[in-house]
Amino acid sequence: MAKPSSLLDTRVIYCGDNLEQLKKLPDACIDLIYIDPPFNSNRNYEVFWGETKEKRSFDDRHESTQAYIEFMRPRCVELARVLKKTGSFYYHCDWHASHYVKVMLDQILGENNFQNEIVWKRTSAHNDPHRYGNIHDTILFYAQTKEGFTWNPQYTAYTKEYVDAEWQELPSGRFFKGENMLDPQNKMEEFDFKGTTARWRTNREGMMELWNAPQTEVPNSHGRVLLRKDGLPRKRCRIVFLDELPGVALQSWWGDISPLAGGSRERLGYPTQKPLPLLERIIKSSSNENDIVLDAFCGCGTALVAAQTLNRQWIGIDISPTACRVMAKRLRDVCRMKEDENYWLHGKGFVVRDLPWTEKQLRTIPPFEFENWAVIALGGIPNKTQVGDMGIDGRIYPIGSEPTAAGKEAGQLDFMDDWYPIQVKQMDKTGRPDIDKFEAAMMRTKRKKGFFVSFDFSSDALREIDQFFRREHIVIIPLTVREILDETIAQRLA
Ligand SMILES: C[S@@+](CC[C@H](N)C(=O)[O-])C[C@H]1O[C@@H](n2cnc3c(N)ncnc32)[C@H](O)[C@@H]1O
């Protein structure tokens, strides 16, 4: 694939806050934007990545819908800036905030440019106590009607009920029916049928098809014409085969794309990973080959893989370094792309830019920045205050953490009861005394599992972690900076 624009680098994953990263892109350069930001669901996700039970999580950190919209508004303004006048914009969300998002997008992209609210049936029926089961996501689709935008109609299969009711099956398994050629728009015409002059009101194109078409397998027919017993064309005479029709034009209700099943090969363990067919459908509908697709919240890169497979150019942005590494691995594995600067310069392969730190840099940055880096890299949330942290620098919230009333009033993420502590030490070798302090903090806060990040651990420290587990049945997982930085974590994760 050639580079489509000298102004813009494509096949690039940018690691960082999209608000900052988007500023690097020129105005009106993107053909299709898809975003799937963390929902305003007041819930934090945790994933168990593979057998090692390595933790990845990311938080839906928006405490209220207003905060969520305030977070998203400047990002959507930037996205609108980089979108071409002929481009399309898809915003994937759910019932928590979809109505507020619609109002915000109407303001930014123009109410008249709203094209569809797509309902994607995300999950199967289940019991939501005292209300109807919530089973769908909402995808808001905008494109500038005035300028004209790329639109490639997509089709879905006919329902069995419709096929059974309207079509006849042949022994070969093909379905056919006779279609009326009568077209009130057209004048009466005469044509020769086996030496007899037949009068038939028909459409000229249809006529050509009737007489030029080879004989079909349909009984009692001539060419593409169904015949009466007396050998003349029947009223509904034109033979149509089901497999020659494109299908039903795609509607705004998408119930035919299943969520990723637990055992699916596609599944990477990322909690909000979307199925590839969903992204392929959007990309096929709203872009052409070599167009530029942008996903500014790209998670494990579903949109990038779909774009690459469909020969589009793409740009991905994600704030999580681990997500960036996981999607790089996915592009290498699934799309057989090389992650290589030289290759990329020659129009092949891809690159990941702005991954935060090297080990050397991490040794020299201020301790609080180091703590933030480590906690975020693990998918946790850093403690807001750096003093009086009582031996805990951050927290990981598992799926299903429910807010408590008291915490909610306090307006903090502390409102979740269920969390794992993270302790971070910017030390060459963490020793036993630091482990002792972390153990005390875990006992005090009644935690069953915690994470300790450092450049290395003394053998005393590791022995103590083991003994602590034997004594108290509390797990401390020691993680080195190298493990977090290295591909080894991404490999263990995927
Ligand atoms: C719901 S997930 C996207 C999942 C993705 N559609 C997929 O199929 O894998 C949202 C992603 O947004 C990222 N994110 C959150 N805030 C961000 C920000 N300010 N800038 C860039 N990425 C961000 C998170 O790290 C997370 O990976």
Side-chain angles (χ1 to χ4, degrees):
M1 269 197 263
K3 194 171 163 179
S5 157
S6 54
L7 296 173
L8 189 64
D9 288 341
T10 55
R11 285 173 285 106
V12 179
I13 299 168
Y14 291 98
C15 184
D17 187 337
N18 45 27
L19 192 56
E20 294 312 310
Q21 295 289 7
L22 284 167
K23 291 187 180 139
K24 294 180 180 165
L25 305 187
D27 293 356
C29 61
I30 303 289
D31 296 288
L32 167 61
I33 294 175
Y34 166 86
I35 56 168
D36 170 24
F39 294 157
N40 180 32
S41 61
N42 269 345
R43 212 174 68 151
N44 297 276
Y45 296 96
E46 175 197 74
V47 203
F48 291 98
W49 297 85
E51 290 305 300
T52 56
K53 300 268 187 286
E54 197 68 64
K55 289 285 177 305
R56 266 308 296 159
S57 76
F58 59 85
D59 55 306
D60 288 341
R61 74 191 76 192
H62 313 291
E63 289 160 13
S64 67
T65 307
Q66 197 187 345
Y68 173 71
I69 294 296
E70 277 167 18
F71 168 81
M72 286 307 301
R73 188 183 297 278
R75 289 169 171 81
C76 289
V77 168
E78 270 301 293
L79 288 166
R81 179 185 67 76
V82 302
L83 187 65
K84 283 185 187 167
K85 288 253 176 297
T86 51
S88 303
F89 184 102
Y90 289 76
Y91 190 124
H92 192 139
C93 50
D94 74 3
W95 59 272
H96 291 93
S98 56
H99 303 87
Y100 299 88
V101 171
K102 165 83 168 63
V103 173
M104 174 187 70
L105 292 181
D106 279 353
Q107 289 162 354
I108 296 171
L109 296 164
E111 203 174 328
N112 292 336
N113 296 323
F114 174 66
Q115 304 297 338
N116 282 116
E117 175 183 7
I118 299 163
V119 171
W120 172 47
K121 182 174 170 290
R122 175 178 47 84
T123 177
S124 47
H126 55 262
N127 267 338
D128 270 353
H130 309 301
R131 60 176 179 174
Y132 307 109
N134 264 316
I135 57 165
H136 74 271
D137 281 0
T138 300
I139 304 172
L140 302 170
F141 165 37
Y142 287 76
Q144 296 217 21
T145 313
K146 216 169 80 196
E147 304 286 337
F149 53 90
T150 301
W151 181 245
N152 304 315
Q154 303 294 309
Y155 298 89
T156 49
Y158 295 104
T159 61
K160 187 171 176 328
E161 293 76 43
Y162 164 74
V163 174
D164 289 348
E166 307 251 334
W167 296 76
Q168 278 175 264
E169 193 172 3
L170 290 162
S172 65
R174 284 185 99 188
F175 287 88
F176 80 97
K177 71 174 177 178
E179 209 177 62
N180 209 340
M181 292 298 296
L182 285 177
D183 178 353
Q185 299 294 322
N186 281 322
K187 59 183 191 307
M188 190 80 82
E189 285 186 23
E190 287 187 355
F191 63 89
D192 184 62
F193 182 76
K194 292 185 184 173
T196 317
T197 302
R199 288 165 68 83
W200 202 256
R201 202 190 281 269
T202 187
N203 153 324
R204 182 160 292 280
E205 277 176 18
M207 284 294 295
M208 298 305 290
E209 188 193 346
L210 287 180
W211 299 109
N212 291 340
Q215 185 65 40
T216 69
E217 60 198 294
V218 179
N220 301 323
S221 68
H222 177 80
R224 280 256 173 162
V225 182
L226 280 173
L227 303 179
R228 296 190 317 218
K229 275 204 183 111
D230 62 7
L232 283 173
R234 254 167 46 180
K235 198 163 174 221
R236 290 172 180 272
C237 76
R238 179 175 173 262
I239 296 169
V240 194
F241 289 103
L242 186 67
D243 55 23
E244 289 173 343
L245 302 183
V248 188
L250 187 60
Q251 308 295 298
S252 61
W253 192 88
W254 296 1
D256 58 336
I257 297 181
S258 328
L260 287 176
S264 156
R265 277 168 62 101
E266 192 184 323
R267 194 181 181 87
L268 297 176
Y270 213 71
T272 54
Q273 182 183 346
K274 300 299 177 292
L276 266 173
L278 183 77
L279 271 300
E280 282 168 356
R281 177 173 283 177
I282 290 171
I283 291 171
K284 278 186 201 159
S285 301
S286 290
S287 70
N288 294 315
E289 284 203 4
N290 226 26
D291 278 357
I292 302 173
V293 178
L294 166 69
D295 185 346
F297 290 84
C298 56
C300 56
T302 311
L304 312 188
V305 171
Q308 177 64 31
T309 313
L310 295 168
N311 295 325
R312 271 64 168 175
Q313 298 283 339
W314 51 262
I315 298 171
I317 307 176
D318 202 287
I319 201 165
S320 153
T322 306
C324 292
R325 271 187 230 109
V326 168
M327 71 182 104
K329 179 171 177 355
R330 191 173 180 197
L331 284 160
R332 292 198 307 263
D333 291 353
V334 178
C335 302
R336 302 261 161 248
M337 291 182 90
K338 268 200 178 165
E339 184 184 349
D340 183 305
E341 190 79 30
N342 268 333
Y343 236 66
W344 177 80
L345 281 173
H346 289 93
K348 295 179 217 152
F350 71 99
V351 286
V352 185
R353 294 216 174 125
D354 306 331
L355 273 172
W357 308 102
T358 62
E359 195 168 341
K360 196 169 156 208
Q361 280 175 307
L362 286 166
R363 285 181 193 276
T364 55
I365 58 171
F368 75 92
E369 274 195 28
F370 178 77
E371 281 164 22
N372 274 348
W373 169 83
V375 172
I376 290 168
L378 285 186
I381 300 162
N383 277 357
K384 275 197 177 163
T385 48
Q386 291 302 319
V387 281
D389 65 12
M390 318 280 271
I392 292 170
D393 295 317
R395 300 164 174 215
I396 289 179
Y397 291 89
I399 281 179
S401 290
E402 287 296 332
T404 61
K408 204 163 191 177
E409 273 159 30
Q412 284 292 317
L413 279 166
D414 309 344
F415 62 69
M416 310 283 191
D417 266 342
D418 200 7
W419 51 273
Y420 301 135
I422 308 171
Q423 177 66 321
V424 182
K425 286 276 172 238
Q426 199 182 19
M427 302 174 107
D428 280 345
K429 241 190 181 96
T430 287
R432 170 147 184 193
D434 293 301
I435 300 293
D436 287 342
K437 277 190 209 141
F438 189 45
E439 286 173 359
M442 289 188 70
M443 302 280 279
R444 196 173 51 246
T445 50
K446 301 194 175 62
R447 299 296 112 186
K448 283 279 159 224
K449 190 183 274 185
F451 299 83
F452 203 120
V453 179
S454 177
F455 284 95
D456 204 352
F457 297 86
S458 71
S459 43
D460 267 3
L462 294 175
R463 209 171 302 121
E464 173 51 31
I465 286 175
D466 194 42
Q467 280 165 6
F468 184 54
F469 176 69
R470 285 167 207 270
R471 267 194 330 267
E472 307 290 345
H473 301 288
I474 299 178
V475 181
I476 295 177
I477 298 176
L479 287 170
T480 64
V481 170
R482 180 103 316 273
E483 275 178 306
I484 297 174
L485 282 175
D486 263 10
E487 287 283 312
T488 50
I489 268 227
Q491 274 156 16
R492 275 201 278 154
L493 302 180

